[in-house]
Amino acid sequence: SAVISQKPSRDICQRGTSLTIQCQVDSQVTMMFWYRQQPGQSLTLIATANQGSEATYESGFVIDKFPISRPNLTFSTLTVSNMSPEDSSIYLCSVEARPWGETQYFGPGTRLLVL
Amino acid sequence: AQSVTQPDIHITVSEGASLELRCNYSYGATPYLFWYVQSPGQGLQLLLKYFSGDTLVQGIKGFEAEFKRSQSSFNLRKPSVHWSDAAEYFCAVVSMDSSYKLIFGSGTRLLVRP
């Protein structure tokens, strides 16, 4: 498995601002994913981020709202842009690497509250 | 499209009692199935997974799950629940398109009575 950290762990933001969430892994991984978990809900994939290529977004999520960077095999960022209260969620990154098969391991999440 | 159903939103059991959380999936071929647990204020922790082979899989924390193809089910069980097991439990399946994304069920919240 892997040790995954996220920064910040939580934040309270004003509407109209942007927040960048960092995801750091202690080993090189092929695939990184960003999920959103709205209050009391399950997880929904925002996008898949592979190093060296553009992120692939799921239906309902767009790059202008959730720009993602993947500069190397151990790091990724997700930005939540022009935030509104509806963006209040937990944002989780997960990673997958070939030695583990199709198994994803999750970071601790970033709890975001937008006022 | 693949989907995962967890029919129980909440389950309450007494400490020391047995537990079974239900999960049904829709997928034509043999799926890759997972159970994750999310404790309050925490991320997701992998409990166990099934890819192939023995249909009864053992996981961490004394949990096990049984894959039943005929019922399209992957139910999670534990013979004796501890108060620390109170959490949200998610069943998930890997999408077999090129994305490798996880498709999650809606989750089951487990409450443990002392």
Side-chain angles (χ1 to χ4, degrees):
Chain A
S1 63
V3 177
I4 306 162
S5 61
Q6 287 186 234
K7 291 181 181 180
S9 59
R10 60 180 67 241
D11 209 340
I12 301 174
C13 300
Q14 298 298 318
R15 68 172 67 211
T17 63
S18 297
L19 177 71
T20 295
I21 302 168
Q22 299 178 5
C23 179
Q24 179 76 53
V25 191
D26 68 343
S27 57
Q28 294 184 341
V29 295
T30 311
M31 304 179 80
M32 297 183 80
F33 304 84
W34 286 97
Y35 289 83
R36 181 176 73 181
Q37 186 179 22
Q38 295 178 296
Q41 303 293 314
S42 186
L43 284 79
T44 301
L45 181 67
I46 298 172
T48 303
N50 293 332
Q51 196 266 339
S53 62
E54 297 288 326
T56 302
Y57 289 83
E58 295 297 300
S59 175
F61 297 96
V62 296
I63 188 171
D64 290 346
K65 176 67 175 177
F66 297 101
I68 288 171
S69 76
R70 179 81 197 272
N72 56 51
L73 292 175
T74 64
F75 187 77
S76 178
T77 67
L78 168 76
T79 298
V80 186
S81 302
N82 188 25
M83 289 184 285
S84 67
E86 292 70 35
D87 295 318
S88 297
S89 297
I90 302 173
Y91 292 87
L92 298 104
C93 72
S94 71
V95 304
E96 182 199 305
R98 211 38 45 189
W100 314 325
E102 284 75 13
T103 301
Q104 290 182 31
Y105 294 91
F106 283 80
T110 295
R111 284 148 184 80
L112 172 62
L113 176 63
V114 184
L115 302 178
Chain B
Q2 291 173 268
S3 65
V4 177
T5 302
Q6 294 180 246
D8 302 306
I9 298 174
H10 296 99
I11 283 186
T12 301
V13 299
S14 298
E15 191 169 14
S18 64
L19 171 69
E20 182 169 31
L21 302 182
R22 296 184 289 166
C23 173
N24 293 95
Y25 65 89
S26 69
Y27 184 62
T30 300
Y32 290 359
L33 292 158
F34 305 84
W35 276 100
Y36 288 89
V37 60
Q38 185 177 36
S39 298
Q42 303 294 315
L44 268 69
Q45 182 180 23
L46 178 68
L47 284 176
L48 47 78
K49 60 186 178 183
Y50 174 78
F51 287 176
S52 65
D54 193 347
T55 57
L56 184 64
V57 294
Q58 302 297 319
I60 63 171
K61 303 186 178 188
F63 285 93
E64 67 178 25
E66 186 171 13
F67 171 66
K68 292 186 177 180
R69 182 190 302 277
S70 62
Q71 299 177 19
S72 297
S73 69
F74 188 57
N75 293 348
L76 182 71
R77 300 194 294 248
K78 187 171 185 178
S80 178
V81 169
H82 188 264
W83 64 266
S84 60
D85 294 324
E88 186 94 20
Y89 291 80
F90 292 97
C91 181
V93 64
V94 169
S95 173
M96 284 309 186
D97 61 17
S98 60
S99 69
Y100 296 101
K101 68 182 179 184
L102 282 172
I103 299 169
F104 284 88
S106 55
T108 298
R109 179 164 297 278
L110 174 65
L111 304 174
V112 180
R113 280 193 296 257

